[in-house]
Amino acid sequence: MTNEVENLLNKVWAGMILISIFCALATGRMPQLSDAVLAGAGNAAELVLGMLGMMCAWTGLMKIADAGGLTSLLARVLAPVLRRLFPAYPPESPAAKAVCMNITANLLGLGNAATPMGIAAMKEMQKNNTDVKTANNSMVMFVVLNTASLQLIPTFMGTLRANYGAAAPFDILPAVWITSILSLAVGLLAAKLLEGRKVG
């Protein structure tokens, strides 16, 4: 499955590149295309370097929190919610702890830092999955929870806005809270309503 996805993505990117080159040739704008490629690469490098410090700091803090027992505490605090969303995993299980760390990272708006924890949670859930080719209900629910995540502090977006000169990088908080709560509620409701259904 992984190779199929990689092949599909490679084809999509190759198609986009070829279409761009064809359009530039057809319109006589090859110099503009070259300038855009160089400028885009430079901007991407600057963005990565600008975000690197923040991501390293928060990822390190999350590791320290895990080693210091904060994961277990969060698992107990979130136990009532997790029991309803993930009934197959006890609050002290490795899967529940990884889910808690992922939720915490998403609450802080650290989508990139949440990714390794999300992968760890999916690996733990897969251990209890009898069908290796199909995700179980808990795995689907976790994908929905991670994708439509509630963000209290959009750290990544705030830092991004600050890097691009926003006078008040966090003035987007009300909009972020409203949209993330609504998207999370709709996603969880849809996952619960469609739980257990099979296609075909």
Side-chain angles (χ1 to χ4, degrees):
M1 179 61 106
T2 303
N3 289 335
E4 292 177 5
V5 173
E6 288 179 358
N7 289 335
L8 178 61
L9 289 174
N10 288 337
K11 290 177 182 177
V12 169
W13 281 109
M16 291 173 63
I17 292 170
L18 290 174
I19 290 171
S20 299
I21 294 173
F22 174 78
C23 290
L25 286 172
T27 58
R29 303 182 68 182
M30 280 301 290
Q32 288 87 340
L33 176 63
S34 300
D35 292 341
V37 170
L38 293 175
N43 291 336
E46 289 178 9
L47 177 62
V48 169
L49 291 174
M51 302 302 296
L52 186 60
M54 183 270 293
M55 294 307 303
C56 289
W58 280 105
T59 304
L61 286 173
M62 296 298 284
K63 289 285 187 182
I64 293 170
D66 187 24
L70 182 60
T71 313
S72 300
L73 177 62
L74 284 170
R76 287 194 293 271
V77 171
L78 296 173
V81 177
L82 292 180
R83 267 198 295 267
R84 287 184 172 275
L85 296 178
F86 307 101
Y89 306 99
E92 294 298 325
S93 67
K97 290 181 180 180
V99 168
C100 284
M101 293 303 290
N102 179 269
I103 291 173
T104 303
N106 279 322
L107 284 173
L108 296 173
L110 302 170
N112 290 342
T115 301
M117 298 155 207
I119 293 172
M122 290 295 277
K123 285 182 178 178
E124 291 296 333
M125 291 179 181
Q126 182 60 38
K127 293 178 181 178
N128 291 351
N129 189 16
T130 54
D131 188 349
V132 295
K133 292 186 177 180
T134 305
N136 59 30
N137 289 332
S138 295
M139 296 169 78
V140 173
M141 181 64 72
F142 177 69
V143 170
V144 172
L145 182 66
N146 184 55
T147 305
S149 59
L150 178 62
Q151 291 191 18
L152 296 180
I153 306 172
T155 307
F156 182 83
M157 185 59 66
T159 305
L160 193 63
R161 282 167 53 84
N163 285 345
Y164 281 95
F170 288 98
D171 62 356
I172 57 172
L173 284 179
V176 169
W177 292 338
I178 293 170
T179 54
S180 59
I181 288 171
L182 290 176
S183 64
L184 181 60
V186 171
L188 293 179
L189 179 62
K192 276 296 182 185
L193 290 176
L194 298 174
E195 198 171 78
R197 293 191 182 184
K198 291 183 180 283
V199 179

